[in-house]
Amino acid sequence: REAATAAFAAILDGPNKEELAKVVRQAFTVILQHVKDENDVVKDTAAWAVGRICELLPEVITPEILRPLMETLAAALKFTPKVASNACWA
């Protein structure tokens, strides 16, 4: 889960933005679920991936995803300092 999430986040600034946005919209809820994973490494990487999405593709943050996004990031503030830091950055 961690490696897949890291690879996904690493390619965000490469491909065509319109095509990439479609894929990110489909994967976004899964990445948000990974922020709440039992494994701290998965949580950290997922929080970083959310930050990359917010930075590079803010257009995928629709009104429908905004509430779950904010709830997930707020919950992440109670996790390890590294996860909380990535949540703040997002």
Side-chain angles (χ1 to χ4, degrees):
R1 292 180 314 267
E2 190 274 336
T5 303
F8 185 82
I11 65 157
L12 290 176
D13 57 354
N16 175 293
K17 278 196 159 204
E18 290 87 25
E19 292 300 317
L20 186 59
K22 293 176 192 175
V23 175
V24 171
R25 281 187 193 97
Q26 292 175 353
F28 203 75
T29 55
V30 173
I31 293 170
L32 288 180
Q33 290 171 353
H34 285 179
V35 174
K36 300 174 187 174
D37 196 89
E38 61 195 31
N39 184 303
D40 286 340
V41 176
V42 175
K43 287 179 190 176
D44 178 46
T45 302
W48 171 72
V50 170
R52 297 260 305 156
I53 291 167
C54 291
E55 178 182 30
L56 298 171
L57 293 165
E59 62 271 18
V60 303
I61 311 298
T62 62
E64 297 80 28
I65 199 68
L66 184 59
R67 184 179 184 108
L69 170 63
M70 297 310 293
E71 289 171 351
T72 300
L73 293 176
L77 296 176
K78 298 176 184 170
F79 300 153
T80 64
K82 192 164 181 179
V83 175
S85 175
N86 277 322
C88 288
W89 172 63

